[in-house]
Amino acid sequence: MYNREAAVRYADEWWNGRNPEFPSFDVDCTNFISQCLLAGGAPMYGYPNRERGWWLQGGTWSFSWSVAHSMRWFLSGSKKGLTARQVKTAAELDLGDVICYDFQGDGRFDHTTIVTDKVGDTPLVNAHTYDAYHRTWDYKDSYAYSPNAKYIFFKINDQFT
């Protein structure tokens, strides 16, 4: 069972630091979200095929563990272990859910965040790369934002298969 509170606790603890138990990347957003999901109990699978599953093991990792675009496609298609369903609006998300960002609107997703709080129906998110704590989910105040930005909202399934 996905422990949303544990995922959020991890996100709040490590939002502005790097856990030495994990690799760290210059572009660290998806690696950080993977750590949060793992802290919430999400099961890894697929080792050693970097193009399959979601995992970190033996000094290497799947692309979905560390690359925003790969995480986006993994979450939309995973049928076992860590699974999610896409919803239409940010307001439908709960704590521990994930948002994938395509800031340029070119079909290549380049950022990933985790919902760590809500103000009314508005999710607040934590992230790495440019470390963020309880930031408004849409990033409209960010230099990375453009009017072409696209978002995909993923509700993490509470039960793992």
Side-chain angles (χ1 to χ4, degrees):
M1 173 167 250
Y2 185 45
N3 185 333
R4 294 173 178 281
E5 294 79 17
V8 169
R9 268 194 312 275
Y10 186 93
D12 283 348
E13 179 178 352
W14 290 103
W15 75 273
N16 68 342
R18 303 300 184 263
N19 184 337
E21 300 294 316
F22 293 92
S24 180
F25 304 93
D26 289 339
V27 178
D28 200 56
C29 60
T30 305
N31 174 48
F32 173 62
I33 299 314
S34 288
Q35 292 173 40
C36 296
L37 293 168
L38 185 65
M44 294 186 280
Y45 78 91
Y47 174 83
N49 186 340
R50 296 189 78 193
E51 296 176 6
R52 300 273 182 225
W54 173 79
W55 55 269
L56 170 79
Q57 183 177 334
T60 190
W61 46 86
S62 64
F63 295 128
S64 61
W65 180 276
S66 62
V67 177
H69 193 69
S70 296
M71 166 78 67
R72 175 262 183 268
W73 285 107
F74 172 77
L75 288 176
S76 67
S78 179
K79 301 290 186 226
K80 71 176 200 175
L82 172 60
T83 60
R85 65 183 171 85
Q86 190 173 332
V87 295
K88 293 187 185 299
T89 67
E92 298 173 71
L93 298 176
D94 294 313
L95 301 184
D97 287 334
V98 171
I99 303 173
C100 296
Y101 299 72
D102 171 4
F103 285 122
Q104 293 76 38
D106 61 3
R108 182 90 185 151
F109 285 77
D110 37 34
H111 191 53
T112 314
T113 66
I114 186 167
V115 176
T116 52
D117 201 358
K118 287 185 88 170
V119 175
D121 283 341
T122 304
L124 304 180
V125 298
N126 286 17
H128 270 188
T129 304
Y130 296 98
D131 300 350
Y133 177 80
H134 294 222
R135 179 183 192 146
T136 304
W137 72 269
D138 60 14
Y139 273 66
K140 286 188 177 174
D141 62 346
S142 168
Y143 77 92
Y145 174 80
S146 84
N148 298 324
K150 293 184 176 132
Y151 310 93
I152 297 182
F153 309 109
F154 287 107
K155 286 197 67 69
I156 303 301
N157 291 322
D158 289 324
Q159 299 295 324
F160 302 122
T161 55

